[in-house]
Amino acid sequence: MNNASTNGNLPTISSNWSDFNSQIYNANTLLDLVNNKGRVILNDNDEDVTDHLVITSKFIRGMSQGYIGLLYDKGYIVDENTDPAILEFSTYEEMINSGLEDLQDVLNNTPSNYELRLYEGYNINRDDFIKLVNTYMAKFIMGKARTSAETVDYNKALTHINNGITADFNPPAKQNILFNDGQDWMCYTLSGGAGYIPVDQKIPYLSANDPVTQPADYPTDTTVLGQATSSDPRFAQYFGYTTNFGYLNAARGRELFSNYFHKRFKTANNRNVDGYSTNIFSLAELQYLKAEAQYKSGDFAGAATTLNSSPRYTVGNITTLANDAEIKKALLYEYAIELHLNGSLGNNYFFMRRNDLLQKGTPTNFPVPASELEITGDMTYTFGGEANAGQDGTASGTNSWKTL
């Protein structure tokens, strides 16, 4: 990764850093007013909503610290009592643990009449909010590991999963306030019929299960592969074929991109429309987290049952047997197919990372952005590249998904 302040594409690294830290700052501002300055906050009806806003602020802070820990190798643990003049970096484990502490506090102290307001006219009731908090706690616990060698508390993850969402968390879009911007770009289709961003070649490779017609690496010569044939009806429902590659930057790895584009959530090149789906956290993602936790705990039968209750079977008509190889391949497949643009931030990447499935030289997290390091006076650094394979922050590729 080019982590230089002169890099015009630095926002790829820095945008989440800025966004999540801004949310932490906003949350701490309110918590400081309440906890340190004794402020009581009233709503428009002169009702005391202080406790409710404290819960919302801790939820925002916990989520933001958790995501910084998932995405970056280190970050700042900051609360309403932190002196900004003496900030020090904390490891990703510490960041996630701090986020989990806030979220556990939310679980323990959410008032019975609490509602989370997403936007005017749309609130989440307490029961659904508690399910959502449990769901993200499970994601953070499972996603913390950078390699399969790191310890994960699967029993704790399963406790949160079993108290998590029971349906897709999919609030309707509100124009310019809440919509799925990732889908907006990833589903964009050009006038020639190509997707703005081609789908990873891994998807037709896994769906066709025929390395002759759909190899793991797309040919780097002038070859144009034909349409893939799959027994899974979701492949044709979710993805479209084209011979036009759209805005393909071959220098970024021609072998990675396919002839396919995402069409499952395609809506006239615009997802910023009232009422459209947002697909923030799908029930399928939670089911696959559960199956993985069961599998990693040695409960192959439980993992197979969970997979056979998921869209893998109910939509894809694929039955999963209770054995190691079958479950491992099933999870890889479902993260690639069912969860493509249909789940929370980083779901496929975090799954690949914690299971050592990333290809050689792939970064396992972002570095602190150069723009931040220049402020702190720290040395700029980065991750990734085949020459650094196997070092901290860079995947070795020894057991990448192509070996399964």
Side-chain angles (χ1 to χ4, degrees):
M1 284 183 289
N2 182 0
N3 188 26
S5 57
T6 56
N7 176 19
N9 292 317
L10 187 64
T12 303
I13 300 174
S14 64
S15 60
N16 281 310
W17 176 270
S18 299
D19 291 346
F20 285 122
N21 277 300
S22 293
Q23 294 300 320
I24 292 171
Y25 174 83
N26 293 336
N28 284 334
T29 298
L30 184 138
L31 292 169
D32 178 58
L33 286 173
V34 173
N35 295 335
N36 296 330
K37 297 181 172 64
R39 185 74 59 86
V40 174
I41 302 173
L42 306 178
N43 65 14
D44 293 340
N45 298 319
D46 289 331
E47 299 168 328
D48 186 344
V49 292
T50 307
D51 290 346
H52 288 227
L53 290 177
V54 166
I55 289 297
T56 301
S57 296
K58 287 195 173 182
F59 173 66
I60 291 170
R61 188 174 70 185
M63 291 285 291
S64 298
Q65 290 192 140
Y67 264 120
I68 290 173
L70 287 181
L71 291 167
Y72 296 88
D73 68 314
K74 54 189 176 184
Y76 301 123
I77 295 176
V78 183
D79 64 21
E80 67 271 26
N81 300 308
T82 301
D83 183 350
I86 54 172
L87 288 179
E88 294 183 353
F89 287 118
S90 298
T91 66
Y92 65 83
E93 297 101 329
E94 292 167 336
M95 291 295 301
I96 293 174
N97 289 340
S98 180
L100 288 169
E101 288 175 7
D102 270 342
L103 295 177
Q104 185 61 55
D105 194 29
V106 168
L107 289 183
N108 295 342
N109 296 293
T110 299
S112 59
N113 61 342
Y114 176 84
E115 289 187 329
L116 177 66
R117 177 181 171 182
L118 288 187
Y119 53 77
E120 181 68 34
Y122 192 90
N123 296 339
I124 302 171
N125 65 42
R126 183 188 187 279
D127 289 346
D128 288 339
F129 174 69
I130 293 298
K131 291 177 182 178
L132 188 65
V133 173
N134 275 295
T135 298
Y136 276 101
M137 290 181 76
K139 177 184 176 72
F140 292 153
I141 291 168
M142 294 283 286
K144 184 191 305 184
R146 266 50 177 178
T147 71
S148 62
E150 295 183 37
T151 301
V152 175
D153 189 340
Y154 294 112
N155 288 331
K156 188 173 183 179
L158 283 166
T159 296
H160 290 297
I161 289 169
N162 290 332
N163 288 284
I165 57 174
T166 52
D168 293 344
F169 179 59
N170 185 27
K174 184 70 172 176
Q175 189 174 34
N176 297 329
I177 296 174
L178 177 70
F179 69 100
N180 195 319
D181 189 49
Q183 288 181 351
D184 194 59
W185 282 103
M186 298 288 282
C187 295
Y188 191 89
T189 305
L190 304 174
S191 58
Y196 180 78
I197 301 176
V199 166
D200 191 333
Q201 176 60 17
K202 179 178 66 173
I203 288 175
Y205 167 78
L206 292 173
S207 296
N209 195 27
D210 180 2
V212 175
T213 60
Q214 292 294 331
D217 289 330
Y218 200 94
T220 55
D221 56 19
T222 58
T223 301
V224 176
L225 296 178
Q227 294 192 54
T229 300
S230 176
S231 59
D232 182 351
R234 293 175 296 174
F235 181 66
Q237 293 169 13
Y238 298 173
F239 306 101
Y241 175 83
T242 177
T243 56
N244 185 342
F245 293 104
Y247 290 119
L248 173 64
N249 186 343
R252 294 178 177 174
R254 176 64 197 88
E255 71 281 1
L256 300 176
F257 301 99
S258 73
N259 295 88
Y260 282 85
F261 59 91
H262 186 100
K263 69 176 186 180
R264 182 180 185 182
F265 301 116
K266 175 175 162 45
T267 46
N269 286 347
N270 185 11
R271 298 292 293 165
N272 185 15
V273 176
D274 285 356
Y276 279 6
S277 66
T278 53
N279 311 101
I280 295 174
F281 206 117
S282 64
L283 178 60
E285 181 177 354
L286 191 65
Q287 290 173 315
Y288 299 147
L289 283 172
K290 181 174 183 176
E292 183 183 356
Q294 292 170 317
Y295 163 69
K296 292 293 185 67
S297 301
D299 182 9
F300 292 1
T305 297
T306 299
L307 287 165
N308 290 330
S309 301
S310 78
R312 178 173 175 79
Y313 177 76
T314 60
V315 183
N317 302 317
I318 305 172
T319 301
T320 306
L321 303 178
N323 65 67
D324 187 306
E326 182 94 358
I327 295 168
K328 187 182 297 184
K329 289 182 179 180
L331 287 168
L332 171 66
Y333 183 92
E334 291 305 308
Y335 268 88
I337 308 301
E338 182 61 36
L339 298 187
H340 192 265
L341 303 189
N342 183 36
S344 63
L345 175 65
N347 58 13
N348 192 18
Y349 173 73
F350 299 143
F351 167 76
M352 302 277 283
R353 176 176 69 185
R354 64 179 173 261
N355 287 287
D356 297 334
L357 296 172
L358 296 173
Q359 296 185 61
K360 182 180 180 181
T362 305
T364 58
N365 40 223
F366 286 127
V368 175
S371 51
E372 178 71 21
L373 296 172
E374 289 181 355
I375 295 172
T376 63
D378 291 297
M379 290 281 292
T380 301
Y381 65 99
T382 193
F383 301 113
E386 291 193 358
N388 300 315
Q391 299 180 23
D392 285 347
T394 306
S396 69
T398 304
N399 299 305
S400 81
W401 64 270
K402 294 180 182 179
T403 67
L404 292 184

